[in-house]
Amino acid sequence: MPRKPSNIVYSAHEKPPLGTLFALGIQHATLALLFLVYPLVAAEEAGLSFADTQVLITSCIIFMGIATIIECWPKAGAGMLLVQIPNTPHLPLAVQSLSAGGLPLYAAMSLVASVSQLSLTRFTNALRAVFPPEICGVAVTMLGIALAPPALRRVFGLAQESGGLVDTRYLMVSFITLFIIIALAIFSRGLLRLFAVAIGAGAGWLIASFAGIAPTPADTFAQLPYVDIPRIGFPGFAWSWALLPAAILTGFISAVDMISTVVSMQRMDDADWRRADMEQAGRAIRANTFADMGAALTGGFASASSSAAIGVAFATGATAWRIGIIAGGVILLAAFSPKLVGALTIIPTPVVGAILIYASAFLIVAGMDLILSRRLSDRRIFTVGLSVLAGLTVALLPEVVHSTPDWAQPILESPLSVSTAVAVLLNLFFRIGIRQEASLPVTLGDNAFQVTTEFLEQQGDLWGARRDVIAAAIPVVAEAVETLLDTETAAGALELRARFDENNFDVTLLYQGEAIEVPTLRPSPEDLLGDAKAVARFVGYMLSKRADKLVIGMEGERQALSLRFEH
């Protein structure tokens, strides 16, 4: 069992009291349902009818609930608190598919995306190298940037029928909604903070009604029952070869997004976290994929694990998977209320814009945090910078996209797709010429600490190792180098060799001389006043405690002292 961090009250495998369990579950479910604005945006952009929008939303709710239960159940999914929300990377694909061929075309393209997402689980170990944290960070950052245009259009009331004129009423409602959400999230405590989004949306809806910009429910809305059996069904399939590349890429991006979410939860729940458990990430992707297939076959919008739910889990200090089971059940029950689903389809446009702005800001900062979790060499700086610029290019210069062939436009219209694809390709390209092993000679006249620091920091930047791992390795390796040279255990010089493989950061000291002893019991402090061998024994004991693994052996005719730091 991982060691629980001090800020976590109920960790993944702990069982909160029943009342707390239900309260936290309902809270997560409420937040997840608010993010139904994503498929609503897609339906509005595509001009779907009220009936088709109802099917899209109802099926999405059902499989959000099912996916949440599967994800959180230890024997079925990842066994961690992964509450599902509508999948934001699906927005560009959904808008294009629904506009071109309605629910049948989106169902087919969503199924293709699910299959491509599932295919990546066959290579979970290789994904660690293909999708390092900075690449996941680019995807998450551009996910937030991709939400900005539809969000800002709704904030300023720049609908097509407005002729491009700013409606100050929309701006007022959006500003007040966003202000309430942010103020409660920052300055309040308890339930007010936890339900900041819900309270802000409710207040914004009320103000929009007074301002006369709340949408009028369709005639069919009044006829919807409060409780009824969900009406979903197979929408049929349509096909578009032009959208096929976008569907495949959407699946890959969804997998990257899932990996990022799982890594965030792992880091939050383990005080000693060092590296991603890709097997757990693979289980999470598989569970999400099967739910997405069900949604596609019933005309629904795809789902994915919620970054916002991670923020709520951090704020409450509760990451227990049982909370997710309750949340999934509550989400499922919501599908049995057509009136509730219908109400969600008529959320005022400026309120939707404010919530999207909130989500966009959260995702942009979360992506930057992932990017900066690794040491950045020139290669990685250009990988991140150029991929973000590529995404911004298609967002700011749509005429560039329109000048490309018809088959490429569905792919290039999405800043998220472009930036993620460019980041992956640049990451693979810039890996060319990088050796996984490097060495440096060190002599008695060198400053051991300075030489070790410069060498390990340089290699850490080049390999993109975690900052904390390099920082922890430097004093340990420097102490070993200094001891071997100063005590004349090494005959005047040694070779400092480092190796990195994404799982471990290994440093080996090769020298001519005697092997140092590593006692199993702690030597007495008086040994530091003894001869050189006694000092070496004391340092050997300390090295065995400060490194994750210490191995002493031979490499040819030289002694080899190997220090391992788990990455």
Side-chain angles (χ1 to χ4, degrees):
M1 297 291 291
R3 186 167 65 87
K4 185 171 68 174
S6 60
N7 64 311
I8 297 298
V9 181
Y10 301 109
S11 63
H13 297 283
E14 291 182 320
K15 185 176 181 180
L18 194 60
T20 303
L21 188 64
F22 273 90
L24 292 173
I26 293 172
Q27 166 187 281
H28 276 283
T30 303
L31 180 63
L33 291 172
L34 282 174
F35 281 97
L36 287 169
V37 295
Y38 296 155
L40 286 175
V41 168
E44 183 180 330
E45 292 282 335
L48 282 192
S49 66
F50 180 80
D52 283 347
T53 301
Q54 283 280 97
V55 172
L56 184 74
I57 298 299
T58 303
S59 175
C60 179
I61 292 174
I62 290 174
F63 285 96
M64 274 170 53
I66 293 174
T68 298
I69 294 173
I70 295 175
E71 289 284 16
C72 298
W73 199 272
K75 295 183 179 180
M80 60 193 333
L81 183 56
L82 296 175
V83 180
Q84 301 290 104
I85 63 170
N87 190 354
T88 314
H90 264 251
L91 267 177
L93 178 66
V95 171
Q96 294 160 4
S97 301
L98 293 170
S99 300
L103 290 179
L105 181 56
Y106 177 59
M109 294 299 102
S110 183
L111 198 60
V112 170
S114 299
V115 172
S116 67
Q117 182 181 173
L118 182 63
S119 67
L120 288 184
T121 61
R122 304 274 300 181
F123 312 100
T124 50
N125 290 329
L127 290 180
R128 193 189 303 275
V130 178
F131 298 113
E134 66 270 18
I135 303 303
C136 295
V138 168
V140 175
T141 298
M142 292 309 299
L143 184 57
I145 293 175
L147 286 179
L152 292 173
R153 283 200 301 270
R154 286 160 176 78
V155 166
F156 290 100
L158 298 176
Q160 293 180 353
E161 60 270 15
S162 70
L165 299 176
V166 175
D167 191 326
T168 55
R169 295 175 301 169
Y170 281 68
L171 184 60
M172 176 192 68
V173 172
S174 293
F175 176 80
I176 294 175
T177 301
L178 188 60
F179 176 80
I180 292 173
I181 293 174
I182 293 175
L184 291 177
I186 295 176
F187 299 110
S188 66
R189 295 291 183 269
L191 291 178
L192 286 178
R193 180 177 183 180
L194 297 176
F195 289 100
V197 176
I199 294 171
W205 199 330
L206 184 63
I207 297 170
S209 299
F210 280 112
I213 55 175
T216 303
D219 294 336
T220 54
F221 177 76
Q223 303 172 6
L224 294 174
Y226 285 96
V227 179
D228 197 6
I229 301 298
R231 289 181 172 84
I232 58 175
F234 177 54
F237 284 143
W239 192 257
S240 170
W241 289 106
L243 287 174
L244 182 61
I248 294 173
L249 189 57
T250 297
F252 290 159
I253 294 171
S254 298
V256 176
D257 186 48
M258 286 294 298
I259 293 171
S260 303
T261 306
V262 171
V263 170
S264 298
M265 285 300 299
Q266 290 174 351
R267 292 178 64 182
M268 187 192 307
D269 204 50
D270 185 359
D272 301 316
W273 185 87
R274 291 183 176 274
R275 60 176 179 270
D277 182 347
M278 298 307 294
E279 289 299 324
Q280 190 175 36
R283 295 197 302 272
I285 294 174
R286 284 191 289 272
N288 182 75
T289 299
F290 291 129
D292 281 357
M293 289 179 176
L297 294 174
T298 54
F301 196 90
S303 64
S305 297
S306 167
S307 298
I310 295 176
V312 173
F314 179 80
T316 59
T319 60
W321 60 262
R322 291 175 176 84
I323 298 171
I325 302 298
I326 300 297
V330 173
I331 293 172
L332 267 177
L333 288 176
F336 289 83
S337 177
K339 184 75 77 173
L340 172 62
V341 176
L344 291 170
T345 64
I346 56 173
I347 298 177
T349 298
V351 175
V352 173
I355 295 174
L356 289 177
I357 287 289
Y358 174 78
S360 175
F362 181 90
L363 290 170
I364 289 171
V365 175
M368 291 178 178
D369 183 57
L370 269 175
I371 292 171
L372 296 176
S373 67
R374 292 286 190 105
R375 301 184 66 91
L376 297 178
S377 63
D378 289 340
R379 300 183 185 218
R380 291 174 183 266
I381 288 172
F382 280 113
T383 297
V384 172
L386 292 176
S387 56
V388 171
L389 284 175
L392 291 176
T393 298
V394 301
L396 300 176
L397 301 174
E399 58 270 20
V400 173
V401 179
H402 297 155
S403 65
T404 60
D406 291 341
W407 62 267
Q409 291 186 18
I411 305 173
L412 299 179
E413 285 179 350
S414 169
L416 174 63
S417 301
V418 171
S419 59
T420 304
V422 171
V424 171
L425 292 176
L426 287 177
N427 176 53
L428 294 175
F429 174 73
F430 284 142
R431 288 173 66 88
I432 298 174
I434 295 181
R435 295 180 299 166
Q436 293 300 102
E437 188 173 279
S439 61
L440 178 74
V442 184
T443 64
L444 183 61
D446 293 326
N447 184 314
F449 185 82
Q450 181 179 348
V451 170
T452 301
T453 300
E454 292 177 354
F455 176 68
L456 295 186
E457 285 188 343
Q458 178 184 358
Q459 293 306 131
D461 288 342
L462 187 62
W463 291 329
R466 283 173 42 209
R467 296 176 182 274
D468 58 325
V469 172
I470 299 299
I474 286 173
V476 179
V477 175
E479 185 176 355
V481 171
E482 191 173 39
T483 299
L484 292 175
L485 292 175
D486 288 353
T487 61
E488 299 182 353
T489 304
L494 57 80
E495 179 184 350
L496 178 59
R497 182 185 297 173
R499 180 177 177 80
F500 180 64
D501 65 359
E502 287 290 338
N503 290 323
N504 299 296
F505 186 76
D506 295 317
V507 180
T508 302
L509 306 180
L510 301 169
Y511 62 94
Q512 297 285 352
E514 297 182 8
I516 66 170
E517 297 181 35
V518 181
T520 56
L521 298 177
R522 179 175 181 174
S524 65
E526 287 75 16
D527 286 339
L528 290 173
L529 303 176
D531 59 16
K533 290 186 177 180
V535 173
R537 283 196 299 271
F538 189 92
V539 173
Y541 175 82
M542 296 304 297
L543 292 176
S544 69
K545 299 302 179 183
R546 297 174 65 186
D548 292 306
K549 186 177 181 180
L550 172 65
V551 177
I552 296 176
M554 295 287 295
E555 184 173 309
E557 297 181 353
R558 293 188 295 176
Q559 300 288 343
L561 188 154
S562 299
L563 299 163
R564 167 161 292 182
F565 303 90
E566 294 181 356
H567 192 265

